[in-house]
Amino acid sequence: ARPRALSLSTAQYVPGSTSVFVVGKVSALNASVGMLNIGGLKVDYSAMLSSGSVQIAEGQTIAVKGVQSAPDLPLVAAAIRSL
């Protein structure tokens, strides 16, 4: 899926420290290990599984806030919202 909107910040991006915000459809889901894909972006939400309130389905549109240490590593989710 292609992005419908893009917002750029003037703040300096620091990998592994700067929060990023992504909105998109879940294209793949492995709920047992807390991993999902939004297109080609891998998202690790395993740290959120202990709260028990994460309900995600393939095809669902979600918003994710998190940090990514390097371009080839997953985005580590700090918050996920269903849209």
Side-chain angles (χ1 to χ4, degrees):
R2 292 190 169 161
R4 293 185 188 176
L6 177 66
S7 177
L8 299 176
S9 171
T10 57
Q12 182 175 353
Y13 175 74
V14 179
S17 178
T18 305
S19 291
V20 296
F21 184 72
V22 178
V23 176
K25 259 188 192 177
V26 177
S27 56
L29 176 67
N30 187 340
S32 64
V33 296
M35 293 291 290
L36 63 84
N37 285 30
I38 297 175
L41 176 66
K42 292 181 181 180
V43 178
D44 176 354
Y45 68 97
S46 60
M48 300 177 66
L49 293 176
S50 63
S51 70
S53 63
V54 180
Q55 299 292 326
I56 301 170
E58 202 165 316
Q60 181 180 18
T61 300
I62 60 171
V64 181
K65 179 182 176 184
V67 295
Q68 187 175 27
S69 298
D72 56 339
L73 294 177
L75 175 69
V76 179
I80 296 179
R81 299 268 183 207
S82 177
L83 301 177

